[in-house]
Amino acid sequence: MRYLSTRDKAVRVTAANAMAKGLAPDGGLFVPEVLPGLSARQIESLCGMSYGQRAVYIMGAFLKDFTSAEINGFAERAYSAKGFDTPAIAPLVGLGAEAGVGRPGSVAPTDTWFLELWHGPTSAFKDMALQMLPHLLTASLEKTGEERQVCILVATSGDTGKAALDGFADVARTKILVFYPKDGVSDVQRLQMVTQAGANVGVLGVAGNFDDAQAGVKRIFSDAELAKELSGCGWFLSSANSINWGRLLPQIVYYVSAYCDLVNAGRIVVGDKVNFAVPTGNFGNILAGFYAMRMGLPIGRLICASNANNVLTEFVRTGVYDKKRPFYVTNSPSMDILVSSNLERLIFALSGEDDKQTAGYMRALSETGRYTVTPGIKSAIDKIFWADFCDDERTKEVIATTYEAEGYLMDTHTAVAYDVLEKYRAETGDATPAVVVSTASPYKFADSVLDALGEGGMAEGLGLIDKLAEVSGTVPPQPLTALRGKRVRFDETIEADEMLGAVRSFLT
Ligand SMILES: *Cc1c(COP(=O)(O)O)cnc(C)c1O
């Protein structure tokens, strides 16, 4: 199977090439030329498998230039008991007493389920892909005959940085350098990063906000002189964000896996529809759901949930994408984003794979800050998606009321999705069973969650974790409590204009 660029279908490369390159030379994103099908029979057989086996099966259908033994090895290393605190890897937890799969609840079954994607080493859903990406990437380098080593550069607002560090630590032929905004990440997120182990890792604080760090990384990527110099020393630069196909592909697996778990729990039979509500930022997570649906997974609706940065709500509702709007810092910061890069892949798919049209929209976005899709694309969106948003105050209310009524504690991002699901149900009356994609442990955003429970401002740093455990009677993830004994390895902070020099000295 080949991969095409969304901006020029004449660009056709192997899976290994697509993952080694990350971005197509024309600036487009790589997409598979066809989606493998998923029949009812196949779904039935996936029901009897472990998460790792499901991953091997589904990823194998996309990675025809990899052997099944290779993919098996990747899955064993990525989704192991060493990294994840539950053998289910991505457990489905039901609200309500008869929910079956999860913990006991207190009310009647509601057909609402939480797909907890945060049982990995860094307590956020980024682990589902970033535990896998290093294996895919290094194998792709081998396959494509790339002789240089790769340095992953990351600008992070918190979750991606730590998940990428954990995934790439001590991976052969790689180094990873993470830049985080000095005052733009939570105490827990900063400690997670600056204590990271591994001989090939580096972490630097940058004066300024996330955009300053991000702009700095973009400048470094487009510096041809630096690229040449690094190449001379046997290095090239790559990115770990969700433009890489190797980050998107592992995410398709958990949609299928959740569906199978609902079948196994006796709540649906194969063929029944399920809706998914997804807290959305860069559109990577929900796009994986779209691909699962296109493959044949019976998904009714994909519900796209945003915070106050509601550019996607407007897009899904009107067909107009307009990034010229105020940027809000919210209590669900991993969704504070105005340009959702993966939307390009959706538009390519829904335009009938029209590369000229897709390229045109992307040009308009960078030149004028907006574009409007055709009525044809808009009506395709209407058949699949529904969108709304949830502000900070409402997010806190949802956390508090769900905890009080159901005993279920969720983080701010998950609360946004749950709220938007309830709005969808109220507006449409659709009673299809629904899965809320839960993207972070409540402990990762302990300050906001404590605030929601009316216990804000009493603790700071790692004290927030103890406080949340005490208040909620839940058990914090071990990697977060283990931060307490860890030595700070990286305490350096630099100015944004020193980032390029930092990359040079990291590699040469
Ligand atoms: C990254 C992230 C999101 C947004 O996911 P996208 O794939 O960018 O849409 C949502 N919640 C959390 C906790 C995240 O870390």
Side-chain angles (χ1 to χ4, degrees), residues 32-57:
E33 63 181 341
V34 285
L35 287 176
L38 195 57
S39 67
R41 284 253 321 262
Q42 286 171 306
I43 294 172
E44 266 153 24
S45 69
L46 284 160
C47 286
M49 297 185 191
S50 69
Y51 189 86
Q53 290 166 329
R54 290 169 184 167
V56 172
Y57 190 97

Side-chain angles (χ1 to χ4, degrees), residues 316-357:
V316 169
R317 293 189 163 207
T318 66
V320 179
Y321 196 95
D322 187 352
K323 71 168 184 183
K324 291 169 299 171
R325 59 178 67 227
F327 177 85
Y328 301 107
V329 175
T330 73
N331 60 12
S332 47
S334 302
M335 293 152 66
D336 290 347
I337 186 160
L338 294 180
V339 178
S340 302
S341 359
N342 270 302
L343 206 54
E344 178 166 353
R345 285 183 164 114
L346 179 75
I347 286 169
F348 179 75
L350 296 183
S351 66
E353 312 211 327
D354 188 330
D355 50 357
K356 301 284 170 302
Q357 197 176 19

